[in-house]
Amino acid sequence: MSDLQQLLDNNARWAEAIKQEDPQFFEKLAKQQAPEYLWIGCSDARVPANEIVGMLPGDLFVHRNVANVVLHTDLNCLSVIQYAVDVLKVKHILVTGHYGCGGVRAAMQDTQFGLIDGWLRSIRDLCYEQREHLAQFATEEERVDRLCELNVVQQVANVSHTTIVQNAWHRGQSLAVHGCIYGIKDGRWKNLNVTVSGLEQLPPQYRLRPLGQS
């Protein structure tokens, strides 16, 4: 058996099961992509976006990277957000972290890991900024999990500060950015209650006028 055969067999069983439930599913799916949600999550293999929220292919537009980071210099992530907001007209952006995140844990240590050290720099900065708050937690695991939550809050802000999202609000487009976190140990997806759905919720220094407006 080839290295891929088991996966190919799994796929055949999955596709057949979907068709048994809805014979027209793939035909309809091929005709359009109209998700209402953009998921920005971690690359961790234990955090499968669609399965966590019980959605089928076509329901979620997904971007994943190590530690679910949104940087203003990351053209990959920004391109996904732009396409999701401007073309697909998603109504919700779900920034989702997870407890026990290896990227967050690495950002709390003084060990070099290689290229990823630069990628995690913003989380390392966040860890330093929140050092007094994090020191209140008794164990390393508690500190890691709390920083996982704080990282989500920061990434929600980063998404909200983009001109892509702000221009959608200027146009009157319905769009909300949510911060959520997933527990690998219990499978539960939790709302962190940091939703941003309009310019008025942003600090004044991050509110940008529409392009061309003086």
Side-chain angles (χ1 to χ4, degrees):
M1 180 180 291
S2 73
D3 292 340
L4 290 180
Q5 192 57 52
Q6 182 178 349
L7 301 183
L8 292 168
D9 292 344
N10 290 347
N11 168 256
R13 286 191 293 270
W14 171 79
E16 186 59 33
I18 293 289
K19 285 193 290 185
Q20 289 291 333
E21 186 173 329
D22 181 358
Q24 304 302 314
F25 178 81
F26 290 109
E27 182 180 339
K28 291 182 292 185
L29 189 65
K31 290 180 179 178
Q32 67 173 355
Q33 177 179 217
E36 292 191 0
Y37 304 92
L38 165 62
W39 174 287
I40 300 177
C42 183
S43 298
D44 193 302
R46 300 168 295 175
V47 190
N50 286 68
E51 287 88 341
I52 286 173
V53 290
M55 288 187 167
L56 290 169
D59 293 334
L60 284 182
F61 196 59
V62 177
H63 175 79
R64 295 170 69 177
N65 62 53
V66 175
N68 44 273
V69 174
V70 178
L71 301 177
H72 71 279
T73 54
D74 181 8
L75 295 182
N76 183 1
C77 183
L78 293 179
S79 295
V80 171
I81 295 172
Q82 188 270 326
Y83 187 81
V85 172
D86 293 353
V87 179
L88 297 177
K89 307 294 185 185
V90 298
K91 293 181 172 62
H92 304 275
I93 298 177
L94 312 172
V95 180
T96 298
H98 67 94
Y99 291 121
C101 179
V104 171
R105 188 186 303 276
M108 300 179 74
Q109 299 173 1
D110 60 3
T111 304
Q112 284 194 40
F113 294 95
L115 183 63
I116 198 170
D117 295 326
W119 177 256
L120 298 175
R121 174 60 186 271
S122 65
I123 304 179
R124 189 177 298 277
D125 292 341
L126 179 63
C127 181
Y128 180 73
E129 292 166 7
Q130 297 289 336
R131 61 192 181 281
E132 293 183 3
H133 172 70
L134 294 170
Q136 300 173 24
F137 295 86
T139 68
E140 179 185 354
E141 287 305 309
E142 289 176 314
R143 291 190 289 274
V144 169
D145 285 350
R146 180 54 180 154
L147 187 57
C148 289
E149 293 177 340
L150 294 172
N151 180 48
V152 169
V153 174
Q154 181 62 59
Q155 306 316 320
V156 167
N158 290 350
V159 172
S160 302
H161 296 165
T162 65
T163 55
I164 301 163
V165 168
Q166 294 194 34
N167 284 336
W169 288 330
H170 284 306
R171 293 192 299 268
Q173 189 171 330
S174 176
L175 180 64
V177 185
H178 310 274
C180 305
I181 196 157
Y182 174 69
I184 292 174
K185 293 180 179 179
D186 62 9
R188 301 304 296 268
W189 187 61
K190 184 172 73 173
N191 184 359
L192 291 176
N193 297 312
V194 290
T195 295
V196 182
S197 55
L199 286 162
E200 69 282 354
Q201 293 176 260
L202 301 183
Q205 67 268 31
Y206 293 110
R207 299 177 198 170
L208 302 172
R209 292 192 298 268
L211 189 64
Q213 186 180 104
S214 58

